[in-house]
Amino acid sequence: MSHHAEELCTLLVNDIYGELSSRVFKVLLRQGRLALPALAQHSKLPIRQLKHGLAVLIQQHLVLHYTSHNDENTHYEADWQSAYTMVRYGKIIELMQQRFGDDAGKLVSNLLLQGHARIEDLAKAYMEATGRNRHGSSADAPTTNGETHGSNATAETVDSPAPVQGKLASTVTSDMHRTLLKLLNAGFVKEVQEIQFHSFADNYNTAAQELRRAGLVGGTKGTKADLAFQEEARVKLKRWRDGDDEDQLNDISRPRSVDSPAPSRGTKRLKTNRNSWAPKDHDDVDYQYAEAGDAVPIFSDNLVVGVNAEKCKVAFRSRHLVTVAEQQIGTMTAKVYSELLRLLEMRIPRCHDPLETPIDDEDQLAQAPTVSTLVLSDSIDPSITLDSAIGKATTAVIDTADLDVPRKRKRKRIKHEEATVDGNASSDEEEEAQDMNGNIPEVIPDPESEDPGSEDYDDEEISTGPGTSLLQSRRKRLHDIRQHLRLLSEPPLELVTLMSNKSHGEWTVDFRTLTATLKRTALENIIHTRFGLLGLRLTRILLDKGKLDEKQLGNMSLTKQKDIRATVGAMHSAGFLALQEVPKDNSRAPSRTIYLWYVDVARVAKLVLEETYKTMARLLQRAASEREAIRGLLEKAERTDVVGKEEIYLSNGEREALRGWRDKEERLFGELGRLDELVGVLRDY
């Protein structure tokens, strides 16, 4: 882990969870895996405070732990990637609100705040966020049995809630469980298991030990046996992670009526969406807002759930690709692409799977999930007009004389009684009907390639009958969708790939190739900004041709060597170009050595990531410094009696300073979000 990434993660933890937690987290980042006594020695904290800090970090999945069965010692290590996810908390909440509504945003916000939570605790926090308690009353209202809120509240006793209030509380609980079921089926919320609190190495060693105890390690030894054993361990570890192993699953209750008692353990489990095409719903789940007594999805209070950060990365990747499509092609095509990616997301649990067996690009593309044009047509909002975004022209205004494409020609059949033949000529021979210039006067269109939206479109299948207009509209809709998908499949980006012609076409996205293209584009934009057009031209030549010396580079770029020498030297000093020495003989004299320039994309991406981490850390430090400068004013503006009444309680100077701070905060965190998008392209997508 780099120094700048460590600094960024420590600042994030300190900003949200305080100095104690950030101090413990920083020690674990620098020292690595430590037991509790060693951690206390390095942090110089008492054991009691250390346990408090570890409890917060483990609750937020920022620290992993593992207890050895041999010596029963517990070791702790920091998870810096989980700490970096805190940068995306706002994006995650916004994403849930856009896809599932405000209630889903509140639910995910509570989960992010708590790290992971039991259903019972989550329901309490959800009702507080919606302004209601379990009895359906307002959160600010007095409670029963003389309890009060705050020191100035009156000890007003409230009778038991009316039946309508209890019914309202049940409705709020039902809404929360319905929203939770949607998030579980979509994969953005997952069931929290013990394996998720252990590091990958600890889980792999545990799986290997169980395989050895089970006797799956035979007497054969060698490379083949070791590879087979490692594959078995990965398969078992993958089952544990995905929840397919019975010993790793926690029970989730069968959907029941709101008023029915909680079920006993051992009831039906919920299969969340990990690798499934469609949400795996319960057979008896009612998605409608049922009347009293009907079944609604109520889960066990002991079920522990958390936000699935890996699935959120998949959604962020889709959103980035939609933005690229909108910039390169258009808004309507981007909407079609967005729906296609949303359907593909159902079968993509994560962007990169470390437990998958490595395969080449062709095999991966053949195994990629696909979406047919028919399914996509049913999923797109019917109110969206797709044909207005694609230019059209009738066949009368298209000149096909210069097209180098085969054309079907209309042939004139010669009648047998009118023909004069010699030899063995057949009576059903055909000859081409030509005009004086030898041109074909008419072209017969291909029925499969006809344009349903054109005036000459006619299909015998839908030419008659009461549903003619509906069928024509559907055929035209399918044609428009295919046109948008064809635009997306065009080079150089090739955002989609046509796999087959079944169901009017089956489409997929080659994410591996596409993300490599996006990474290269991002690096080229940075090089263009820092080194100008010449630096960008040299980079593209080296990426396309490979290793070249200075003379070849000058010839291909049509630039003199003395002109490119300064740019190449600056790029080499910055780390964007690498140099390889190839001696002509054993003397290795500089005059007898060939110097080849090349671009190492992985190295450049790592370098840019380090600089991005550093910039993000500086932005957080600047925001903290600006906030500390007006700390008193912010505390005053956040008081409950001042919120909404700033014109009365704040002076003109204070209001101006507050507006200035909010403007700075917006610009600082806006830039932080843009840098996070660059990190996603270079590292996560």
Side-chain angles (χ1 to χ4, degrees):
M1 182 182 178
S2 66
H3 169 70
H4 298 302
E6 171 193 327
E7 183 182 14
L8 172 62
C9 295
T10 304
L11 288 172
L12 289 171
V13 175
N14 181 65
D15 186 51
I16 299 179
Y17 303 111
E19 183 180 357
L20 176 61
S21 298
S22 65
R23 186 173 177 180
V24 176
F25 186 78
K26 184 177 182 180
V27 171
L28 289 175
L29 281 179
R30 291 188 173 181
Q31 303 297 330
R33 188 184 180 98
L34 294 175
L36 189 61
L39 183 58
Q41 179 181 0
H42 286 287
S43 63
K44 296 181 174 55
L45 290 174
I47 296 294
R48 183 175 181 181
Q49 293 185 7
L50 197 59
K51 289 183 177 180
H52 284 298
L54 286 174
V56 174
L57 294 173
I58 293 174
Q59 175 75 18
Q60 302 297 329
H61 295 257
L62 301 177
V63 167
L64 306 175
H65 62 89
Y66 183 77
T67 302
S68 175
H69 297 288
N70 299 327
D71 52 8
E72 296 185 354
N73 288 330
T74 302
H75 292 81
Y76 305 91
E77 59 181 301
D79 187 359
W80 72 274
Q81 292 188 354
S82 295
Y84 179 84
T85 307
M86 290 188 289
V87 175
R88 299 171 176 165
Y89 277 2
K91 292 183 178 180
I92 293 175
I93 296 173
E94 179 188 6
L95 178 67
M96 297 301 106
Q97 290 175 344
Q98 291 176 353
R99 294 200 176 188
F100 305 101
D102 293 338
D103 292 341
K106 296 176 183 178
L107 191 64
V108 171
S109 177
N110 290 326
L111 279 178
L112 291 174
L113 182 63
Q114 301 180 35
H116 61 270
R118 295 167 58 246
I119 294 297
E120 184 179 7
D121 300 332
L122 192 61
K124 294 179 181 179
Y126 179 82
M127 282 186 285
E128 290 178 359
T130 55
R132 303 164 184 169
N133 57 18
R134 279 198 174 272
H135 301 295
S137 58
S138 173
D140 298 329
T143 58
T144 59
N145 300 327
E147 296 179 359
T148 59
H149 296 283
S151 57
N152 297 327
T154 57
E156 180 182 357
T157 303
V158 180
D159 297 333
S160 299
V164 64
Q165 292 177 327
K167 184 177 180 180
L168 184 59
S170 299
T171 303
V172 174
T173 305
S174 302
D175 294 343
M176 190 273 291
H177 283 269
R178 292 180 193 277
T179 304
L180 180 61
L181 182 62
K182 294 179 182 178
L183 295 173
L184 282 167
N185 284 333
F188 293 105
V189 172
K190 63 181 179 181
E191 180 185 355
V192 176
Q193 303 173 8
E194 184 180 357
I195 188 176
Q196 298 168 6
F197 294 91
H198 303 161
S199 66
F200 177 82
D202 291 330
N203 290 328
Y204 181 84
N205 293 333
T206 303
Q209 291 176 4
E210 290 199 6
L211 290 176
R212 292 189 181 96
R213 285 197 298 265
L216 296 181
V217 183
T220 59
K221 297 182 180 180
T223 306
K224 277 190 174 182
D226 293 340
L227 292 177
F229 177 73
Q230 293 175 7
E231 183 64 25
E232 289 292 335
R234 280 200 300 267
V235 170
K236 188 173 185 63
L237 186 57
K238 187 176 181 181
R239 288 201 305 266
W240 286 355
R241 182 198 64 187
D242 297 339
D244 295 335
D245 192 276
E246 292 296 327
D247 297 334
Q248 298 292 327
L249 285 176
N250 295 327
D251 290 334
I252 302 177
S253 69
R254 181 185 299 273
R256 65 181 190 272
S257 173
V258 179
D259 300 327
S260 62
S264 59
R265 298 286 292 176
T267 54
K268 186 176 181 179
R269 297 183 178 96
L270 172 67
K271 176 68 175 179
T272 57
N273 179 15
R274 297 179 178 96
N275 296 304
S276 57
W277 161 242
K280 293 186 178 296
D281 307 325
H282 292 286
D283 297 335
D284 49 356
V285 170
D286 183 10
Y287 281 92
Q288 304 297 324
Y289 286 93
E291 298 178 357
D294 290 342
V296 292
I298 300 296
F299 301 103
S300 172
D301 289 339
N302 295 323
L303 172 66
V304 181
V305 293
V307 177
N308 189 356
E310 293 295 329
K311 189 69 174 184
C312 293
K313 291 179 184 178
V314 177
F316 292 147
R317 180 180 65 181
S318 300
R319 189 165 65 175
H320 182 78
L321 292 176
V322 170
T323 303
V324 172
E326 185 175 4
Q327 293 174 351
Q328 298 293 328
I329 302 176
T331 304
M332 288 300 173
T333 305
K335 291 181 179 180
V336 175
Y337 193 42
S338 175
E339 193 62 26
L340 174 67
L341 291 173
R342 189 190 66 82
L343 294 174
L344 289 175
E345 283 179 14
M346 298 180 182
R347 298 179 64 185
I348 303 176
R350 54 187 51 84
C351 294
H352 303 285
D353 192 352
L355 299 178
E356 287 289 345
T357 304
I359 56 178
D360 55 15
D361 294 342
E362 293 183 359
D363 293 340
Q364 185 186 32
L365 186 60
Q367 299 175 8
T370 60
V371 175
S372 66
T373 308
L374 288 175
V375 175
L376 185 59
S377 175
D378 295 335
S379 181
I380 295 177
D381 187 2
S383 62
I384 298 177
T385 304
L386 300 176
D387 57 350
S388 61
I390 299 179
K392 295 182 178 181
T394 61
T395 57
V397 299
I398 299 177
D399 185 10
T400 60
D402 297 333
L403 296 180
D404 296 331
V405 295
R407 298 177 298 175
K408 292 190 176 181
R409 300 175 178 179
K410 182 177 181 181
R411 301 178 183 270
K412 181 178 179 181
R413 188 176 300 276
I414 302 177
K415 297 182 180 180
H416 174 67
E417 60 271 17
E418 297 178 356
T420 302
V421 297
D422 295 329
N424 297 324
S426 174
S427 61
D428 57 351
E429 281 185 351
E430 298 174 349
E431 66 179 13
E432 298 175 353
Q434 301 178 350
D435 58 12
M436 297 178 60
N437 297 325
N439 297 325
I440 306 299
E442 184 179 356
V443 177
I444 298 178
D446 186 0
E448 296 180 357
S449 61
E450 280 187 331
D451 184 4
S454 64
E455 297 178 357
D456 299 333
Y457 177 73
D458 186 16
D459 196 315
E460 184 179 353
E461 179 184 355
I462 61 174
S463 59
T464 59
T468 299
S469 59
L470 180 60
L471 292 175
Q472 287 179 343
S473 176
R474 179 166 177 79
R475 288 288 299 273
K476 184 176 180 299
R477 184 79 168 177
L478 291 172
H479 173 78
D480 293 338
I481 293 175
R482 282 181 62 88
Q483 291 297 99
H484 285 283
L485 293 174
R486 286 170 181 169
L487 287 175
L488 292 168
S489 64
E490 291 296 326
L493 291 178
E494 297 181 3
L495 297 172
V496 298
T497 303
L498 178 63
M499 300 300 295
S500 69
N501 291 323
K502 298 179 181 179
S503 300
H504 294 266
E506 291 184 343
W507 307 82
T508 188
V509 177
D510 188 2
F511 289 107
R512 180 181 294 184
T513 304
L514 188 55
T515 51
T517 303
L518 294 177
K519 182 184 297 186
R520 172 174 171 171
T521 303
L523 295 178
E524 288 179 354
N525 292 335
I526 295 174
I527 292 173
H528 185 206
T529 303
R530 296 184 59 175
F531 304 103
L533 186 60
L534 180 58
L536 176 61
R537 185 191 308 171
L538 299 177
T539 301
R540 288 179 174 175
I541 292 174
L542 292 174
L543 288 174
D544 293 337
K545 302 299 181 181
K547 299 179 181 179
L548 299 173
D549 61 7
E550 190 174 285
K551 182 178 180 181
Q552 293 173 326
L553 195 57
N555 293 335
M556 290 186 178
S557 63
L558 303 178
T559 310
K560 296 180 180 180
Q561 295 186 31
K562 63 178 182 180
D563 295 334
I564 68 172
R565 194 166 294 144
T567 302
V568 169
M571 295 178 67
H572 178 62
S573 301
F576 287 88
L577 287 186
L579 187 63
Q580 181 179 358
E581 300 179 2
V582 181
K584 296 181 180 180
D585 51 29
N586 294 332
S587 64
R588 305 186 70 88
S591 60
R592 302 288 299 171
T593 302
I594 301 174
Y595 297 94
L596 300 178
W597 297 100
Y598 67 97
V599 179
D600 189 348
V601 178
R603 180 173 176 269
V604 174
K606 184 177 180 180
L607 176 66
V608 174
L609 274 177
E610 294 300 323
E611 295 180 352
T612 306
Y613 292 149
K614 179 180 179 180
T615 306
M616 296 174 72
R618 297 297 176 267
L619 288 173
L620 290 177
Q621 290 175 342
R622 178 61 183 270
S625 176
E626 295 287 345
R627 188 186 302 112
E628 186 66 26
I630 56 171
R631 182 178 178 180
L633 175 60
L634 292 177
E635 291 178 353
K636 180 180 180 180
E638 292 173 357
R639 285 166 39 187
T640 56
D641 59 333
V642 178
V643 174
K645 302 178 181 178
E646 289 83 359
E647 297 291 337
I648 301 176
Y649 294 102
L650 297 182
S651 63
N652 293 333
E654 290 176 336
R655 291 197 299 271
E656 186 66 25
L658 189 60
R659 281 193 296 268
W661 154 246
R662 288 173 179 173
D663 181 64
K664 292 179 182 178
E665 184 183 34
E666 182 179 358
R667 286 188 279 114
L668 288 173
F669 286 100
E671 183 64 26
L672 191 70
R674 286 188 288 271
L675 292 174
D676 172 62
E677 195 68 27
L678 178 61
V679 172
V681 172
L682 298 179
R683 189 193 70 183
D684 297 332
Y685 301 162

